[in-house]
Amino acid sequence: MSSEIAQINGSIGGQDDIPLYSEAFPALATGNRSGSPTAIVNEWTNQKVQRLKSSIVTQLFQIPMEERTFKHTENFGQSQQDQNKACLDIMQRTGAHIEMSTCKDGSLSLLVSGQMEMVLKARREIYNKLQTQARITLDIPKEHHRVILGKGGTRLQKLELETATKINVPRLEDNSRSITIIGTQDGISRARHEIQLISEEQSKLAIERLNVEKEFHPFISGPRNELAQRVEKEHSVRIHIPPPSVKKNEIVVTGEKEGVIKAVKIIQDMYHRKKSRCTVINIEVNKAQHKYIIGQRGSTLQDILAEAEVSVEVPPSDSTSETVTLRGEPDKLGPALTIVYAKANSVVLREVHVDAWLHKFIIGRKGANINSLTQNFKRVNIEFQSEENKILIEGPPEEADVAQDALQQKVDELKKTMAFAEVNVDVKYHKNIIGKGGQNINNLRDKYKVNIRIPPDNEKNPTIRIEGDPDGVTETKKELMEISKRMENERSKDIMIEQRFHKNIIGTGGETIRDIRKQFEDVAISFPDASAKSDVVNLRGPKQNVEKCFKYLKQLSDDMTAKNYSIQVPIFKQYHKNIIGKGGVNIRKIREETNTQIELPTENSENEVIKIVGRKEDCEKARKMIRDIEKQLIDVVEETIVVSQKLHNSMIGAKGKFVRSIMNECGGVHIHFPTEGSGSDKVVVRGRKEDVARAKKELLDLAQSRELSSFAVDVKCKPEFHRFLIGRNGANVRKVREETGARIMFPQQNDVEKDSISIIGKQEEVKKAEAMLLAMIKELENVVEITTVVPVKYHKHFVARRGAVLRELAEEYGGVTVSFPRQGQESEEVKIKGAKDCVAAAESRIKEIVDDLENQVTIECIIPEKYHRTVIGTKGANVQTITSEYDVQIKFPDRQQQQQREAAGESEEKVQSEKSDIIYITGNKHKCEAAKKALLESVPIAEEVNVPYKYHRFLIGQKGEEVRRFMKTYEVNVSIPQADQESDVITITGVAEKVADAKEGLAAKVKELEKEEEDRVLRGFVLEVNVAASYHPTIIGRRGVTVTEIRKKYDVNIQFPEADKSEDVIKIIGYEKNTEQARDHILGIVSELESHVSQDIHIDRRVHPRLIGAKGRAIKKIMDDYHVDIRFPQNQDLITVTGKQDCVEECIEHILNLEEEYMQDVVEREEANRYTRASQNRQGNRGPRSGQEAFMVRDAPWHQQVDTNSMDDFPSLSASSDMGKAQYGSSAWGRKQ
């Protein structure tokens, strides 16, 4: 045992890598035996085992009372809310967890937990938002800024995180030297210290730029940059030598001044020495061999430089030059030249000419063949060039030649055993050769063991290439030619069959189409995809058979079209029950006698139309029978009137408004307009005789009025005049409408023709309105110029903000031009030019503005500060509306200034004296008062509404969606109590007007919920049906199809007992009437099932999986073929077959035959597995699994020689307790100390 372990230990690495047993399993400390706190050594601490640290850290931050941003103000709780909001924002942005508390001295304590990076970000955000900020500016030399920023700004970001400050460094193009630091006093002090340290370090540094010819850079850097690195290390400098690809002579040395001076002297001495001693040799080397001189990443050049102290210059790869330059001392150029030639000739290039189509056979599957050929040639590289029909071999001469011979031998062998052929087949037949899912082409490949390449469709290439065994290629070519010839003799024909009939022709599971294809075996029938919405069905095959199939499908389509003729019969809703008859006797009789499908609208529907589907003559017969039943109940007449189709839409009205009103007024007659696009002008009216006469008169009068009032004309007018034609509050256009009776429509904002005004109505009314509008337009187009007086002191108001007031005047008053005197002129005259009415209106408006400026006052409006945000509105929307409506200016107290005063340490009394509740309104006195009233009305109020607690969850909705929509609709805030309070009180907060609307909306919502609750009670009717549990699976159907159809049809919920409970009760839940119908449906299924028989047969369970098949396909096919149901009891050698007697017997016979066939396979497989398993058992458990590394320790107890007779190593289990105590420290069962 010990020798085996020693052998294993010796085979795995060094012994030092394997831990000692005492290190891997240290003893637990049993107590402090020495009495000293340090006596116990933590032996579980092992340097060979990596210590795991928690990724979560926790830090505590303190903010003194005087430096807190949010302090207590007169608005109780406001500062705490703002502080909590800022804290939540920090948590969301950084991902850290923050716990906040206030100490007795008023300071703020924050406990921050999370990953280190998150905690640092949170600390910075805390100091920025919750602690007052200070600012200092440092004067730092511009050249030191880049060092402070660091690469990509990382150094600055790290400094900001560590000090929790914001540091602003000027941009590169900015010449400023000032760096600004913003943050807490402590953070600013630390950041200033760090920046000044960086600047002082940079001040001690020097930089030198040396102009050294590019050719001598390799000597200065040395092989693999060793010389430059040694100088850097000895003198603590950095030397930047441009890479060979950069054509630059400059070498830069940076570092402390003394070190830079010494390094520069070394570089210059080396440069001058090499320049005076070195000579140059130019040699010509084949361009293809240059890469061998360079080596991988220039390693060969570095080797030459190290070995011979000579620099080798190779022209770039894009150059055509083959000259290689050697630079060095004369006595060293000879050895270097020898090395260069040796490296250039170390690799040769060989070629093997072979047709490109054989390349893949040489390579083999996943490179197997080529790998087996070249596995012994590690330094050989093989490249296949299909375009040039050759293979390139690159490597050392001794290996490249052998690889060339091996490849040539493989090529000769393939040429004897492989052949290829090309067949030209019309591109349109390629898809037929490929077959569905590649079935045909795969059969050919498997049959003849060849590879067939068919070009893609986009290449339009008719050539098909065959490669493989010569005999197989010949046979495949022959068969492809036969297929092509047969395709050329075939005919393709399309037949139009409505897509809705495709499913019927295909049949359930494709059964019908299979029968058709058997009838016409040589004809391929192709249906379009359902998503294509196409009626075209393609037939392809021999001409005669295609014609026969075409006639058959045409007849089938015509029969389906005839059987699917449909008509609609309007019948008064109250007589539908008579059409159905008691127990459906009438409707069933009509269906049976006419062989039609009759669909009646649901009882709750307002639709009165009965739809009949079938053959045309049968549908007419069914309609007559339905009409006869209706005539027995009521005297109904039907009349037809002719109305121009262009008037139908206007007579029907929006959503049938007009025609519905006529139907209601005339005793509920039926009025039916022809469908849109039919071209018919006939309108049918049905009902009682007197009602039909009234409706007919109403319709004809309506048609006449619509025809008379459909006259329309367009009037052209400049868009800027439209507002004057409309007038203030629509006064002008309303006057025209009242005087003429015509309807005038101005263009909307999204209309294309902005200058067109439409007039609609009777001809004489339209003409009169057109004349009035043209007169108004002509008057507006009369251009005049007037002069008005505006005091000079108010000119600035009009021209300020780039003439904003003047632009408003021009837009509002038809594009008038207002000209003020130039700046410096003391004139008060202002010229207004434009249309007469526009000029007058503009002059009046200017005087109003001047009057407002002369009477301008400022008043105060007191609103508590906590409501200011609500009064202002989202993005200032509310206050902007008030300022524009009343033409005033509104100023709210500056909250930021107030906070700054608090931060500066002003007394609380002084802060309160700022009157933060006062809002200043400036403008005309009367308008200011109106604006003040509007502001006060916008102050939110809160009202409580009682809503039963059970409705609260419906008001809230899923994830609060419903309550958010309610608040958005009514622009209020709704507060719903917590669920544990079970309170009925809901608080609505908002403007008084909005709150009132919200209360009405809430009341309406509660009524709606009450109705829904009543409906739920009605829908909750439960009906129980006793059905034997053995019938439940059939009622459910495969994957629940049958029960789902019943649920949808009768709008009920059907619950079956759990599978493990042998209960017979099925629960049907829904409306009482629907549950009864569903019950009758289920009982109908049960009565059919009771006529079935069930028979158990003994089938070995080992063949059950074969019978079931993949995903149950095989057993499903058997059940469909024999129309039976088959069940497999768990862990039994039985199968239960259920169905009709004859079907069950046939199915059992078929299953027994299958069992006999499958059992032979099972026996053979088990016999083979017996020998395989025995072989595996002999090979198993011989060692650890491949890929798993065994855990090993050294000096374990089982490595030691043990005396089994020793009482120390193997103490007696029956020893006394005293003996156990005495021997505890040295027992073999524990660890020896």
Side-chain angles (χ1 to χ4, degrees):
M1 177 73 178
S2 301
S3 60
E4 290 180 4
I5 294 173
Q7 185 178 357
I8 294 172
N9 288 341
S11 64
I12 301 179
Q15 291 291 329
D16 293 339
D17 295 335
I18 302 175
L20 293 170
Y21 179 82
S22 58
E23 293 175 341
F25 303 99
L28 296 174
T30 57
N32 188 356
R33 298 177 182 175
S34 65
S36 170
T38 60
I40 300 175
V41 179
N42 186 1
E43 298 186 14
W44 286 94
T45 304
N46 186 0
Q47 295 179 355
K48 296 183 180 180
V49 181
Q50 183 180 1
R51 181 177 297 175
L52 298 178
K53 295 183 179 179
S54 173
S55 60
I56 304 299
V57 297
T58 302
Q59 292 189 9
L60 178 66
F61 304 118
Q62 294 280 136
I63 300 178
M65 170 63 182
E66 59 275 7
E67 295 183 13
R68 287 175 58 183
T69 301
F70 301 99
K71 297 179 183 176
H72 295 295
T73 62
E74 60 181 9
N75 297 321
F76 179 76
Q78 184 64 35
S79 62
Q80 185 65 30
Q81 291 178 6
D82 294 341
Q83 186 171 271
N84 293 343
K85 186 177 179 182
C87 192
L88 286 172
D89 184 53
I90 294 169
M91 290 170 64
Q92 291 175 356
R93 292 177 60 182
T94 62
H97 178 70
I98 302 175
E99 296 180 10
M100 181 171 56
S101 62
T102 305
C103 302
K104 291 182 179 179
D105 60 356
S107 62
L108 195 65
S109 295
L110 297 105
L111 193 67
V112 185
S113 302
Q115 296 181 356
M116 178 58 74
E117 185 180 356
M118 295 178 180
V119 172
L120 290 176
K121 289 181 179 178
R123 181 183 69 169
R124 181 183 171 194
E125 293 286 341
I126 287 169
Y127 286 149
N128 285 341
K129 292 189 176 182
L130 302 182
Q131 191 169 5
T132 55
Q133 303 290 295
R135 177 193 297 260
I136 66 166
T137 302
L138 302 179
D139 184 38
I140 303 296
K142 186 71 177 178
E143 58 270 18
H144 299 172
H145 288 190
R146 64 180 181 82
V147 185
I148 294 170
L149 286 169
K151 188 175 182 179
T154 54
R155 190 170 190 176
L156 180 66
Q157 292 173 4
K158 183 179 179 183
L159 184 59
E160 287 181 333
L161 279 177
E162 290 176 351
T163 60
T165 58
K166 174 65 178 173
I167 304 173
N168 296 323
V169 179
R171 292 182 175 275
L172 186 62
E173 60 272 12
D174 190 353
N175 294 325
S176 173
R177 293 161 50 99
S178 299
I179 295 179
T180 306
I181 308 174
I182 304 170
T184 63
Q185 293 291 348
D186 179 56
I188 288 175
S189 300
R190 293 169 59 196
R192 176 172 56 189
H193 175 70
E194 292 294 331
I195 290 173
Q196 286 176 345
L197 278 179
I198 294 171
S199 179
E200 288 173 3
E201 289 176 2
Q202 292 300 310
S203 300
K204 298 176 182 178
L205 299 180
I207 182 169
E208 285 289 338
R209 302 179 187 276
L210 305 177
N211 187 13
V212 177
E213 294 177 35
K214 183 74 177 176
E215 294 81 6
F216 296 98
H217 285 188
F219 299 108
I220 294 171
S221 62
R224 297 177 181 83
N225 207 34
E226 293 173 358
L227 183 58
Q229 289 176 357
R230 188 166 67 248
V231 174
E232 287 179 339
K233 187 175 181 180
E234 290 176 357
H235 302 287
S236 302
V237 296
R238 291 191 63 185
I239 302 174
H240 175 70
I241 300 174
S245 58
V246 178
K247 302 300 181 184
K248 190 175 180 182
N249 294 334
E250 187 180 67
I251 295 177
V252 180
V253 185
T254 59
E256 294 186 1
K257 293 180 181 179
E258 185 179 352
V260 168
I261 293 171
K262 293 179 180 179
V264 167
K265 186 176 184 305
I266 293 171
I267 293 171
Q268 287 179 339
D269 291 346
M270 186 178 297
Y271 166 59
H272 292 309
R273 184 172 65 254
K274 288 294 181 181
K275 188 174 182 181
S276 62
R277 296 181 182 178
C278 289
T279 59
V280 174
I281 294 178
N282 293 325
I283 60 174
E284 297 296 323
V285 179
N286 191 340
K287 187 74 176 179
Q289 294 175 303
H290 284 192
K291 58 184 177 181
Y292 310 126
I293 299 173
I294 297 171
Q296 189 175 8
R297 296 183 180 179
S299 59
T300 305
L301 294 178
Q302 296 297 325
D303 291 341
I304 297 171
L305 182 62
E307 186 176 346
E309 297 183 14
V310 172
S311 168
V312 180
E313 300 168 13
V314 182
S317 58
D318 55 354
S319 172
T320 58
S321 174
E322 295 184 344
T323 303
V324 176
T325 303
L326 280 70
R327 189 182 309 275
E329 297 179 11
D331 57 332
K332 297 178 181 178
L333 286 174
L337 186 61
T338 303
I339 297 173
V340 169
Y341 276 124
K343 294 293 183 183
N345 297 320
S346 62
V347 177
V348 295
L349 199 64
R350 299 287 186 261
E351 293 183 0
V352 176
H353 292 277
V354 57
D355 292 338
W357 68 275
L358 287 172
H359 287 185
K360 59 178 173 289
F361 298 104
I362 296 171
I363 296 170
R365 187 169 186 177
K366 295 184 179 180
N369 294 345
I370 194 67
N371 288 338
S372 64
L373 287 172
T374 61
Q375 61 184 353
N376 297 324
F377 311 122
K378 302 299 183 182
R379 293 181 292 169
V380 171
N381 180 42
I382 298 177
E383 181 182 351
F384 291 83
Q385 294 186 350
S386 302
E387 298 81 5
E388 301 180 12
N389 292 326
K390 65 181 180 181
I391 303 173
L392 295 180
I393 305 167
E394 183 182 57
E398 61 277 8
E399 292 188 4
D401 293 337
V402 178
Q404 182 184 17
D405 295 340
L407 278 175
Q408 188 63 55
Q409 184 179 354
K410 181 67 176 177
V411 169
D412 296 339
E413 182 184 338
L414 286 173
K415 285 181 178 179
K416 293 177 183 178
T417 58
M418 302 292 289
F420 79 93
E422 293 183 348
V423 183
N424 287 326
V425 178
D426 197 322
V427 175
K428 64 184 177 183
Y429 302 138
H430 284 187
K431 63 181 180 181
N432 302 93
I433 292 173
I434 295 171
K436 188 173 183 181
Q439 183 177 1
N440 296 346
I441 198 72
N442 288 334
N443 290 339
L444 286 174
R445 286 170 178 159
D446 297 338
K447 183 177 179 181
Y448 297 111
K449 308 299 180 184
V450 294
N451 182 34
I452 305 173
R453 184 190 177 277
I454 299 178
D457 293 340
N458 56 0
E459 291 184 10
K460 303 296 182 184
N461 183 7
T463 303
I464 298 176
R465 187 179 178 91
I466 312 165
E467 300 168 354
D469 180 74
D471 296 335
V473 169
T474 304
E475 292 298 325
T476 305
K477 180 178 179 180
K478 182 180 177 182
E479 191 161 338
L480 286 178
M481 294 292 288
E482 290 176 357
I483 294 172
S484 175
K485 187 175 180 180
R486 188 171 66 249
M487 290 293 176
E488 290 173 355
N489 295 328
E490 287 184 349
R491 182 185 175 189
S492 178
K493 189 171 184 178
D494 293 337
I495 180 173
M496 304 298 292
I497 300 176
E498 292 184 47
Q499 192 184 31
R500 61 189 174 127
F501 299 142
H502 290 183
K503 190 181 293 184
N504 304 82
I505 295 175
I506 295 170
T508 305
E511 184 177 353
T512 308
I513 195 64
R514 274 199 300 273
D515 294 340
I516 297 172
R517 283 174 175 154
K518 287 179 182 177
Q519 188 177 348
F520 306 97
E521 289 184 353
D522 296 336
V523 179
I525 306 172
S526 302
F527 287 87
D529 290 337
S531 59
K533 305 292 184 185
S534 173
D535 297 336
V536 179
V537 178
N538 180 260
L539 309 178
R540 184 177 186 84
K543 182 178 179 181
Q544 189 175 1
N545 290 353
V546 167
E547 290 296 334
K548 289 181 181 179
C549 185
F550 180 87
K551 289 179 181 178
Y552 179 84
L553 291 177
K554 181 68 175 172
Q555 182 63 40
L556 199 61
S557 175
D558 292 343
D559 290 344
M560 288 183 178
T561 304
K563 291 178 182 178
N564 282 271
Y565 177 80
S566 67
I567 59 174
Q568 293 183 340
V569 184
I571 300 294
F572 290 102
K573 187 74 176 180
Q574 60 267 34
Y575 302 123
H576 282 198
K577 60 184 178 182
N578 303 94
I579 303 296
I580 297 171
K582 188 174 182 181
V585 62
N586 292 345
I587 196 70
R588 190 160 52 246
K589 179 182 177 183
I590 296 171
R591 285 170 176 161
E592 291 173 355
E593 291 185 7
T594 61
N595 194 25
T596 57
Q597 296 178 16
I598 303 175
E599 300 175 6
L600 287 86
T602 58
E603 187 177 356
N604 299 328
S605 171
E606 296 181 358
N607 184 16
E608 298 182 335
V609 177
I610 298 175
K611 186 178 180 181
I612 307 173
V613 181
R615 295 183 180 274
K616 185 175 181 181
E617 56 274 16
D618 294 337
C619 291
E620 294 294 342
K621 183 180 177 181
R623 175 162 62 179
K624 184 176 182 303
M625 293 177 72
I626 292 172
R627 293 281 193 214
D628 291 342
I629 295 173
E630 185 186 33
K631 286 179 181 178
Q632 294 173 8
L633 301 169
I634 183 175
D635 185 17
V636 177
V637 297
E638 181 177 305
E639 289 199 24
T640 302
I641 60 175
V642 178
V643 178
S644 177
Q645 192 180 30
K646 66 180 182 180
L647 300 176
H648 287 185
N649 287 339
S650 61
M651 291 176 66
I652 294 171
K655 298 182 180 179
K657 178 181 177 183
F658 296 149
V659 74
R660 198 161 49 246
S661 66
I662 294 174
M663 291 165 64
N664 293 335
E665 290 173 5
C666 300
V669 296
H670 286 165
I671 302 174
H672 293 279
F673 286 83
T675 56
E676 190 174 358
S678 64
S680 175
D681 294 336
K682 294 180 180 180
V683 179
V684 179
V685 186
R686 292 186 70 258
R688 292 186 180 89
K689 187 174 182 179
E690 59 276 12
D691 295 335
V692 169
R694 287 170 55 200
K696 182 178 177 181
K697 183 177 181 303
E698 290 278 350
L699 285 171
L700 292 174
D701 291 344
L702 180 62
Q704 186 178 4
S705 65
R706 287 286 180 268
E707 191 168 4
L708 291 174
S709 61
S710 60
F711 186 77
V713 297
D714 289 338
V715 176
K716 299 294 183 182
C717 173
K718 294 179 181 179
E720 54 264 29
F721 292 157
H722 289 184
R723 67 174 67 247
F724 298 101
L725 295 178
I726 296 171
R728 186 180 293 274
N729 297 325
N732 295 345
V733 74
R734 189 164 53 249
K735 181 180 178 183
V736 176
R737 287 173 180 164
E738 290 172 354
E739 290 186 10
T740 62
R743 185 181 177 191
I744 303 171
M745 294 184 295
F746 286 84
Q748 299 298 316
Q749 188 173 3
N750 55 354
D751 289 345
V752 178
E753 297 183 1
K754 301 286 186 183
D755 60 347
S756 181
I757 302 172
S758 299
I759 309 173
I760 302 174
K762 296 180 180 178
Q763 187 171 359
E764 60 275 12
E765 295 174 349
V766 171
K767 291 293 183 183
K768 185 177 179 181
E770 181 184 18
M772 293 179 68
L773 282 179
L774 289 173
M776 295 168 67
I777 293 169
K778 185 177 180 181
E779 189 175 349
L780 287 171
E781 290 176 344
N782 184 17
V783 178
V784 297
E785 183 176 345
I786 65 170
T787 302
T788 187
V789 175
V790 176
V792 176
K793 61 182 178 179
Y794 300 133
H795 286 192
K796 186 176 180 180
H797 174 79
F798 288 92
V799 300
R801 292 174 293 144
R802 299 182 180 179
V805 177
L806 297 182
R807 283 198 303 274
E808 291 175 4
L809 289 171
E811 291 173 1
E812 189 173 354
Y813 299 104
V816 296
T817 303
V818 183
S819 302
F820 279 80
R822 293 181 179 277
Q823 191 173 3
Q825 297 180 0
E826 296 299 324
S827 173
E828 296 182 345
E829 293 184 354
V830 176
K831 294 181 180 179
I832 309 173
K833 184 179 180 180
K836 187 177 180 180
D837 289 349
C838 298
V839 167
E843 181 185 19
S844 175
R845 175 59 183 149
I846 289 172
K847 289 181 178 179
E848 285 181 12
I849 293 173
V850 171
D851 182 61
D852 288 345
L853 292 172
E854 289 178 346
N855 297 312
Q856 187 171 358
V857 297
T858 299
I859 64 173
E860 295 179 352
C861 177
I862 299 176
I863 295 176
E865 185 186 8
K866 62 182 179 180
Y867 298 131
H868 285 188
R869 188 174 298 173
T870 307
V871 172
I872 293 171
T874 307
K875 296 182 180 180
N878 297 346
V879 76
Q880 287 173 9
T881 302
I882 296 173
T883 54
S884 60
E885 183 177 353
Y886 298 104
D887 194 20
V888 296
Q889 294 180 359
I890 302 175
K891 180 171 176 54
F892 285 80
D894 193 343
R895 181 171 177 176
Q896 187 175 1
Q897 291 182 2
Q898 182 182 351
Q899 290 179 357
Q900 289 177 355
R901 293 190 192 97
E902 292 179 13
E906 295 184 7
S907 65
E908 188 174 348
E909 292 78 13
K910 187 173 182 180
V911 172
Q912 292 177 352
S913 66
E914 293 294 333
K915 300 180 180 179
S916 59
D917 296 342
I918 298 176
I919 301 171
Y920 297 97
I921 308 172
T922 303
N924 184 280
K925 182 177 180 181
H926 301 293
K927 293 181 179 179
C928 286
E929 292 294 337
K932 179 179 179 181
K933 182 180 178 183
L935 282 175
L936 292 173
E937 289 176 352
S938 64
V939 176
I941 63 170
E943 289 195 18
E944 294 182 347
V945 181
N946 282 322
V947 175
Y949 170 73
K950 60 183 178 180
Y951 296 142
H952 286 192
R953 61 191 180 94
F954 300 108
L955 295 177
I956 296 171
Q958 189 175 11
K959 296 182 179 180
E961 186 177 346
E962 292 296 330
V963 74
R964 281 197 298 272
R965 186 184 297 115
F966 183 86
M967 292 191 291
K968 186 176 180 181
T969 302
Y970 294 100
E971 298 179 10
V972 295
N973 183 43
V974 178
S975 177
I976 299 177
Q978 296 292 333
D980 54 358
Q981 297 179 9
E982 297 188 1
S983 172
D984 294 342
V985 178
I986 292 177
T987 305
I988 304 176
T989 307
V991 180
E993 183 181 358
K994 302 290 184 183
V995 169
D997 294 341
K999 287 174 66 178
E1000 294 179 2
L1002 193 59
K1005 181 69 176 177
V1006 170
K1007 288 183 180 179
E1008 183 181 340
L1009 292 172
E1010 289 173 349
K1011 290 181 180 179
E1012 290 179 1
E1013 187 177 18
E1014 293 175 2
D1015 185 64
R1016 278 197 300 275
V1017 173
L1018 294 175
R1019 289 177 64 89
F1021 179 79
V1022 180
L1023 181 63
E1024 294 184 351
V1025 185
N1026 283 314
V1027 176
S1030 58
Y1031 296 145
H1032 290 186
T1034 308
I1035 296 172
I1036 295 171
R1038 187 177 288 112
R1039 297 184 181 177
V1041 172
T1042 306
V1043 75
T1044 301
E1045 289 180 358
I1046 299 174
R1047 285 168 177 160
K1048 288 182 179 178
K1049 184 175 181 180
Y1050 300 106
D1051 190 22
V1052 295
N1053 181 24
I1054 302 175
Q1055 296 178 354
F1056 290 84
E1058 295 180 6
D1060 56 349
K1061 296 181 179 179
S1062 57
E1063 295 181 3
D1064 297 338
V1065 177
I1066 298 175
K1067 292 183 179 179
I1068 308 174
I1069 304 170
Y1071 293 115
E1072 184 175 358
K1073 183 178 179 181
N1074 294 356
T1075 58
E1076 291 173 353
Q1077 292 175 346
R1079 177 196 59 192
D1080 296 341
H1081 191 124
I1082 291 173
L1083 293 177
I1085 296 174
V1086 172
S1087 64
E1088 182 181 350
L1089 290 174
E1090 287 175 346
S1091 64
H1092 289 180
V1093 296
S1094 293
Q1095 189 169 342
D1096 293 340
I1097 56 173
H1098 182 278
I1099 300 293
D1100 195 304
R1101 74 185 73 178
R1102 291 176 291 177
V1103 302
H1104 286 190
R1106 288 285 300 276
L1107 289 174
I1108 295 171
K1111 298 184 179 179
R1113 293 193 186 99
I1115 199 66
K1116 181 182 177 184
K1117 185 176 185 304
I1118 295 173
M1119 291 193 291
D1120 291 342
D1121 290 345
Y1122 293 96
H1123 306 291
V1124 296
D1125 182 66
I1126 302 174
R1127 299 290 169 182
F1128 292 80
Q1130 288 187 355
N1131 302 323
Q1132 295 184 32
D1133 292 335
L1134 292 177
I1135 290 181
T1136 304
V1137 185
T1138 305
K1140 294 182 179 178
Q1141 182 70 39
D1142 52 347
C1143 295
V1144 169
E1145 292 174 355
E1146 291 177 5
C1147 181
I1148 289 174
E1149 183 179 355
H1150 177 71
I1151 291 175
L1152 291 173
N1153 291 335
L1154 290 176
E1155 182 199 21
E1156 183 178 355
E1157 178 184 345
Y1158 294 158
M1159 279 302 297
Q1160 294 178 2
D1161 296 341
V1162 170
V1163 172
E1164 291 175 0
R1165 187 167 58 251
E1166 287 182 349
E1167 189 68 22
N1169 288 342
R1170 188 186 309 162
Y1171 292 105
T1172 305
R1173 193 179 303 113
S1175 174
Q1176 290 175 350
N1177 290 338
R1178 287 194 296 270
Q1179 295 175 3
N1181 299 326
R1182 293 186 178 178
R1185 295 180 183 176
S1186 60
Q1188 285 190 338
E1189 185 177 346
F1191 176 75
M1192 297 185 180
V1193 294
R1194 291 182 293 156
D1195 297 339
W1198 53 83
H1199 293 161
Q1200 302 171 8
Q1201 294 293 335
V1202 180
D1203 182 8
T1204 56
N1205 296 319
S1206 172
M1207 292 300 293
D1208 292 337
D1209 292 333
F1210 292 89
S1212 174
L1213 295 176
S1214 61
S1216 65
S1217 58
D1218 295 336
M1219 183 184 295
K1221 290 178 183 178
Q1223 295 178 348
Y1224 177 82
S1226 59
S1227 172
W1229 300 109
R1231 182 172 180 269
K1232 295 181 179 181
Q1233 300 294 329

